[in-house]
Amino acid sequence: MSGLKVVFWKELADNLGSRKFLILFIIICLTAISIVYTLSQNIGEYVDELSTDYMFLNLFSSSAGNLPSFIFFVSFFGPIIGIVFGFDAINGERSQGTISTVLSQPIYRDTFINGKFLAGLSTIALMLISIIMIILGLQLRIFGIISSLEELLRMIIFFIASVVYIGFWMSMAILFSIIFRQTTTSILLSLMIWIFFAFFILMISSVIANQIAPIDPQNYTLEMLIKNDSIKSLIEHVSPVVLIQEISTVILNPLVRTFDISSLIQANSLIPSPLPLSLSLLVIWPQFIGLTALMVICFATSYIIFMRQEIRST
Amino acid sequence: MKSIVLETKELTKFYKHIKVVDSINLKMEEGDIFGFLGPNGAGKTTTILMILGLTEPTSGNVEVFNFNSTREPLNVKKITSYLPENVGFYEDLTAQENLKYITRLNNIQDKKANIKIKEALEIVGILKVGNIEVKKFSHGMKQRLGIASVLIKEPKLAILDEPTSGIDPKGVEEILELIVKMNKEKNITVLISSHLLYQVQKICNKIGIISQGKLVAQGSIEKISQELIKEKKENTIEVNVSDKLSSSFIESVKKMEGVVKIKKKLSDYSLEEIYKNYFREG
């Protein structure tokens, strides 16, 4: 265990002291602050449907004019943060020649990769926490009201989901850094998969859905629409980007009840009222499990491959 | 009877279908400086990786102080130091910080570690630059830092992979001296792998020659050369003569009984000797 601690603290110090961390942190802070600031200036203009009970959450979930919402920001830029902290985890050590030096010391091989993974997760968590804190502080300053307990809980859940989400991208990048000897290969492949999950899967899913369950534009029925939509959403839910967007929408906007088209039609007749936290959680529970599973699968795969690999500098 | 430090039994490694290491039986005793010699790609590094448990043998096994390298790698790595070929350090950390990380991984307490780090840097002669980031180090300085990282663990067995490659002749000599010192004073058994035979032969008491994955000879240099003499029925004697020697002497020696070949060296001094003569002060 002592070995894990040593690797963890060293990696954490490396992460926090690195230039890439500083650059990312500054960019994210500036963007987050500008989003909150613009929103708070025109809060009445953009937020009309949300109840004023959830004033705090509004700032995370609604977008202001040209600026995207904070949710979108996390789902879009989170992958880049994760990839940056993972893409050279192992092959960088290989090309530097440090991997042999470290692994010829009396530590288990998994200590090395576990320490790196935990340090990466902690870095991400620290980054997100400080950004959320900055936003909360700004809100307090602008509105002068304190958030309710439920809002706080919702924010904590949003935080955990975001860490898992970015953790998925990091463990995927670590996996590629184990498989490929070149850091350029691992970063390019990571970025490619990010682009695929963020953009292409939405196009592909509707193309496939229209092929399997075509909708006749002149004469369509409800069944047609539901079938088409369920195929589309089945494919889209493979993407962690879609998963986190749904999780954060439901958690940060208590009015959202469902994404399923058939229940949406039923829900039309309901009076819009905010869901309590427990029910919001119930809505996004599958997405949350899916996201966690994706991260665990990526990490477990990299763990297994690394344990059987030969430790040789290149 | 000296105790056995390292023993490999029928050690074999395949990469896909290519046999890289072929049933190697190595044996090292306490206090040995063992030269593991062979050309590039002969399987030296692969054998070393198997000794340290950094890669799995296809068949056969390795025992270091009776610990099996594949099943108990932690016990092996506790008492073994490894200097990889082209040793790498964290470029953004200083020499001391790099060594500190190694002591922490070895569970050495910080207070004790600081003394040891100073001592090791002093021995290898880079104490002055201990606070400088490794990225500013030359190749020779990195190699010295590598030897410091070997010393700091106070191992019973040190495995040095090509410790002299890419180093100038004077540096080579100093590194070899360090290795001998480490062996004599700290009683560390040493395994040196190298393709530069003449460098290593100066300090080794035993050698093993590996070629295409097979161990073709093993033992003391005398023993192996005796075997070679028996095999070839020939022996070489070098005679240094004064510059006034007549050519008829050479002729007369050639006619003597038992002389197979006589050859005059083209240059009187090897380049290495010339180099050392001029750069002694450098």
Side-chain angles (χ1 to χ4, degrees):
Chain A
M1 276 315 277
S2 69
L4 183 63
K5 247 193 250 164
V6 175
V7 175
F8 172 77
W9 286 113
K10 193 242 159 219
E11 290 298 327
L12 190 62
D14 271 9
N15 282 349
L16 296 181
S18 63
R19 257 177 236 121
K20 57 188 179 188
F21 175 78
L22 196 71
I23 294 167
L24 274 177
F25 194 68
I26 290 173
I27 293 174
I28 290 165
C29 272
L30 286 179
T31 323
I33 290 169
S34 61
I35 289 173
V36 173
Y37 189 74
T38 340
L39 264 176
S40 61
Q41 293 297 301
N42 320 293
I43 191 88
E45 203 176 307
Y46 299 111
V47 187
D48 40 20
E49 72 200 69
L50 263 171
S51 85
T52 44
D53 295 345
Y54 296 99
M55 194 58 112
F56 268 92
L57 298 178
N58 288 344
L59 291 194
F60 286 98
S61 57
S62 33
S63 56
N66 298 328
L67 281 170
S69 70
F70 188 69
I71 297 179
F72 175 78
F73 191 72
V74 167
S75 74
F76 192 77
F77 286 105
I80 294 183
I81 303 172
I83 290 169
V84 160
F85 284 114
F87 80 96
D88 63 347
I90 302 296
N91 54 14
E93 299 255 357
R94 263 185 216 284
S95 55
Q96 212 174 15
T98 41
I99 195 167
S100 320
T101 318
V102 172
L103 284 178
S104 64
Q105 310 305 329
I107 53 164
Y108 287 110
R109 207 183 275 197
D110 56 347
T111 308
F112 189 61
I113 189 169
N114 290 346
K116 270 183 178 287
F117 181 72
L118 290 177
L121 271 190
S122 309
T123 314
I124 292 163
L126 276 174
M127 221 173 196
L128 277 175
I129 268 199
S130 39
I131 293 162
I132 291 177
M133 286 298 177
I134 290 171
I135 294 178
L136 285 182
L138 273 176
Q139 286 179 319
L140 211 62
R141 174 101 180 76
I142 293 163
F143 302 123
I145 44 166
I146 299 162
S147 61
S148 68
L149 182 68
E150 197 190 317
E151 276 182 306
L152 207 65
L153 282 176
R154 280 176 183 271
M155 250 174 276
I156 290 170
I157 293 167
F158 169 67
F159 163 72
I160 293 170
S162 308
V163 170
V164 173
Y165 173 64
I166 301 176
F168 158 75
W169 290 102
M170 188 188 65
S171 47
M172 187 198 71
I174 289 179
L175 175 63
F176 291 148
S177 88
I178 290 171
I179 298 174
F180 301 106
R181 296 288 153 116
Q182 303 281 330
T183 49
T184 38
T185 319
S186 55
I187 197 166
L188 279 176
L189 195 61
S190 305
L191 289 176
M192 225 178 77
I193 288 184
W194 166 57
I195 290 169
F196 176 78
F197 277 148
F199 307 106
F200 287 118
I201 199 157
L202 301 178
M203 299 179 218
I204 290 170
S205 66
S206 56
V207 168
I208 293 175
N210 288 339
Q211 283 294 323
I212 297 173
I215 299 168
D216 183 4
Q218 261 85 49
N219 184 22
Y220 60 86
T221 57
L222 190 60
E223 282 81 57
M224 267 178 170
L225 280 179
I226 290 172
K227 199 179 172 200
N228 183 287
D229 184 72
S230 63
I231 291 169
K232 194 165 172 278
S233 84
L234 188 74
I235 297 165
E236 278 171 11
H237 276 84
V238 174
S239 163
V241 183
V242 173
L243 294 180
I244 189 73
Q245 273 166 358
E246 290 189 357
I247 292 173
S248 38
T249 310
V250 169
I251 286 295
L252 295 178
N253 189 348
L255 288 176
V256 178
R257 289 168 171 261
T258 177
F259 295 100
D260 187 12
I261 191 163
S262 52
S263 351
L264 267 178
I265 293 161
Q266 286 168 14
N268 241 350
S269 53
L270 289 173
I271 303 160
S273 63
L275 278 183
L277 177 58
S278 55
L279 288 182
S280 286
L281 265 180
L282 210 63
V283 172
I284 48 90
W285 195 241
Q287 279 91 329
F288 198 84
I289 296 290
L291 199 57
T292 317
L294 279 176
M295 181 181 83
V296 170
I297 288 169
C298 263
F299 183 69
T301 316
S302 20
Y303 186 95
I304 292 165
I305 294 176
F306 187 64
M307 291 302 273
R308 321 183 100 243
Q309 231 176 18
E310 183 174 88
I311 303 303
R312 191 197 283 250
S313 305
T314 43
Chain B
M1 184 70 193
K2 284 180 193 167
S3 62
I4 289 166
V5 172
L6 172 100
E7 194 169 14
T8 71
K9 282 175 197 141
E10 298 293 321
L11 197 62
T12 305
K13 176 80 179 174
F14 279 92
Y15 283 127
K16 301 227 165 90
H17 295 292
I18 302 156
K19 221 181 214 177
V20 186
V21 173
D22 190 355
S23 342
I24 280 189
N25 292 302
L26 277 181
K27 203 173 183 180
M28 281 172 66
E29 288 172 337
E30 209 174 345
D32 276 349
I33 299 185
F34 189 95
F36 194 35
L37 310 173
N40 291 329
K44 299 190 296 286
T45 305
T46 308
T47 309
I48 289 173
L49 292 181
M50 286 190 280
I51 292 173
L52 287 157
L54 293 179
T55 187
E56 256 177 69
T58 311
S59 67
N61 68 61
V62 187
E63 277 184 7
V64 180
F65 287 99
N66 295 322
F67 292 120
N68 185 298
S69 290
T70 319
R71 270 179 274 122
E72 309 155 275
L74 223 55
N75 286 327
V76 171
K77 290 194 274 188
K78 256 179 210 159
I79 46 176
T80 312
S81 275
Y82 172 46
L83 177 69
E85 186 179 2
N86 298 323
V87 60
F89 290 99
Y90 292 101
E91 304 266 302
D92 290 329
L93 302 182
T94 68
Q96 288 193 2
E97 284 166 346
N98 266 297
L99 292 182
K100 191 77 168 261
Y101 187 40
I102 290 172
T103 58
R104 286 198 178 135
L105 289 173
N106 278 288
N107 230 339
I108 301 171
Q109 283 177 336
D110 274 7
K111 227 178 181 179
K112 213 170 137 198
N114 286 334
I115 302 166
K116 278 191 185 178
I117 289 168
K118 283 250 164 64
E119 201 183 81
L121 287 175
E122 173 95 68
I123 292 173
V124 298
I126 51 168
L127 185 59
K128 270 189 286 181
V129 291
N131 282 321
I132 293 175
E133 287 162 2
V134 172
K135 63 179 161 207
K136 291 174 186 147
F137 275 27
S138 69
H139 181 68
M141 279 153 86
K142 270 188 200 158
Q143 204 68 24
R144 279 161 194 269
L145 183 57
I147 291 181
S149 78
V150 166
L151 286 172
I152 210 156
K153 259 173 99 171
E154 298 187 338
K156 289 181 180 167
L157 170 67
I159 296 176
L160 315 173
D161 196 355
E162 303 277 2
T164 57
S165 75
I167 310 264
D168 61 80
K170 182 175 163 279
V172 166
E173 214 154 72
E174 283 170 2
I175 284 175
L176 293 178
E177 258 168 47
L178 276 173
I179 293 168
V180 174
K181 210 166 135 190
M182 163 163 114
N183 174 257
K184 292 270 149 23
E185 288 174 13
K186 310 238 166 183
N187 197 25
I188 300 171
T189 311
V190 184
L191 179 115
I192 304 178
S193 104
S194 185
H195 63 275
L196 302 165
L197 313 181
Y198 76 100
Q199 286 179 355
V200 172
Q201 76 174 30
K202 293 179 203 160
I203 62 165
C204 294
N205 68 336
K206 265 188 205 162
I207 55 167
I209 297 172
I210 183 172
S211 170
Q212 290 176 331
K214 282 199 175 93
L215 197 68
V216 288
Q218 183 177 205
S220 65
I221 296 175
E222 293 86 52
K223 192 187 137 212
I224 293 176
S225 64
Q226 288 297 323
E227 277 169 13
L228 212 60
I229 290 164
K230 266 186 214 152
E231 200 180 297
K232 278 186 145 183
K233 300 196 164 85
E234 253 183 53
N235 201 356
T236 311
I237 301 168
E238 233 180 71
V239 185
N240 285 5
V241 292
S242 80
D243 55 349
K244 292 186 189 79
L245 198 74
S246 69
S247 56
S248 64
F249 175 76
I250 296 173
E251 285 303 309
S252 60
V253 171
K254 212 182 238 173
K255 280 174 195 141
M256 285 167 86
E257 199 184 337
V259 176
V260 181
K261 193 165 91 185
I262 188 156
K263 200 173 108 192
K264 198 179 169 197
K265 261 166 100 181
L266 285 173
S267 56
D268 297 319
Y269 287 104
S270 73
L271 187 57
E272 200 204 350
E273 285 163 314
I274 296 170
Y275 184 97
K276 272 192 208 145
N277 188 41
Y278 283 103
F279 293 97
R280 197 166 288 153
E281 303 306 316

